Each structure stands twice: as C-alpha cells, then as structure tokens.
Amino acid sequence: MTPSVIIQLDHPAAHIQPGETLHGTYRLVDIRFHEIQRLEFSVLWFTEGKGDEDLGVHHFESIRSEEETAFQEFVRCYQESQTVPFAVPLPLSPLSYYGLILKIRWCVRVRVYMKNGREWMSEKLFTIGNLPPVTVTLN
C-alpha cells in the first residue's frame, strides 16, 4: 500500500460561510510514526489564472519528532481514534472566486516529511462564501 494522507471535511459539499468554523479530520495511511520527521497542517488560499499566483496561509501547525512531548501527544491521540480532528475558524475574506481570468481557491493541506527525505501531501478544496461563478454571455 502506498503511504497517503486522507482529509475529510464535516461540511456537506465543502461549502462554508465566511466566519464559520471549518471542522474535519485527517488520517495517515501506511505511515509509521517513528519514520516521521515533521507533520504540517494548514488552511490556506491560493490564486490560479493569469499573472502571478498568490498564496495566503490562514492557519498553520507544525509538529516535529524532536519535540518529544508534542509529538508523543499527537501519536497518543491518533492511536485512540485513528484520525486527527481539526476545527479552524475561517476569516471573512478572501471569498472563493471562480472567474474567467482568476480563481481564488481555499484548501486544507497536510504534509508529512519523513526522516528518509520523502514527503507525502494531501489537499482538500473547499469554498468560502457564495459568489456565483462568472459566465460570459455572447450577444
């Protein structure tokens, strides 16, 4: 089995209003704790489209295996439920936007850095706000 990270959001259709709290869990698949160097959890937005791409990190957590107390607590909690729960209050902006030239996307990202130099990452997209997608009408 290939190591991986599975992210689940508790919100149906992954659509959340600004200022609400994003709830969910993530799970490590076929990753041995004694081989982890660092684990990062983040909630961020990024742009896609023409021009420079931007990225903004709204929430960031990092757990290093050298930080014995924090890492042991992470392992203990994980072994109890086989998942790591999260709850992150979301900002009022920027809202998700799906334009013709520019898109603003939000995601939960989990990265696991291994002691052997390998890295496993997963992202789960979600939408903040209720802006309709941009459409073009030809006359």
Side-chain angles (χ1 to χ4, degrees):
M1 184 177 246
T2 302
S4 62
V5 180
I6 298 172
I7 301 169
Q8 292 286 118
L9 301 180
D10 292 348
H11 301 271
H15 178 85
I16 302 139
Q17 292 304 313
E20 286 186 3
T21 299
L22 175 69
H23 294 274
T25 59
Y26 63 89
R27 182 167 53 97
L28 308 178
V29 177
D30 204 33
I31 296 175
R32 294 182 178 88
F33 292 112
H34 69 276
E35 296 174 355
I36 296 174
Q37 178 180 357
R38 182 174 80 240
L39 183 137
E40 294 177 350
F41 169 81
S42 55
V43 175
L44 56 99
W45 61 268
F46 60 94
T47 61
E48 292 179 340
K50 290 193 175 193
D52 294 336
E53 293 187 359
D54 292 321
L55 179 135
V57 178
H58 170 68
H59 178 87
F60 180 80
E61 297 174 19
S62 179
I63 300 170
R64 297 178 174 274
S65 60
E66 302 91 47
E67 300 165 350
E68 288 185 27
T69 303
F71 193 75
Q72 288 173 354
E73 179 64 16
F74 167 78
V75 171
R76 184 189 64 73
C77 288
Y78 187 85
Q79 288 174 336
E80 285 178 4
S81 66
Q82 299 300 301
T83 62
V84 178
F86 59 84
V88 178
L90 296 173
L92 299 178
S93 67
L95 299 178
S96 299
Y97 177 73
Y98 301 95
L100 299 175
I101 297 174
L102 176 74
K103 293 174 179 44
I104 301 174
R105 299 183 183 268
W106 279 88
C107 75
V108 173
R109 178 183 289 166
V110 178
R111 278 192 176 157
V112 182
Y113 297 90
M114 307 304 285
K115 291 178 180 175
N116 66 6
R118 297 200 73 178
E119 173 186 331
W120 306 105
M121 183 185 80
S122 182
E123 292 181 338
K124 183 76 166 187
L125 294 172
F126 64 94
T127 302
I128 294 182
N130 210 9
L131 295 177
V134 174
T135 58
V136 174
T137 305
L138 300 174
N139 293 332

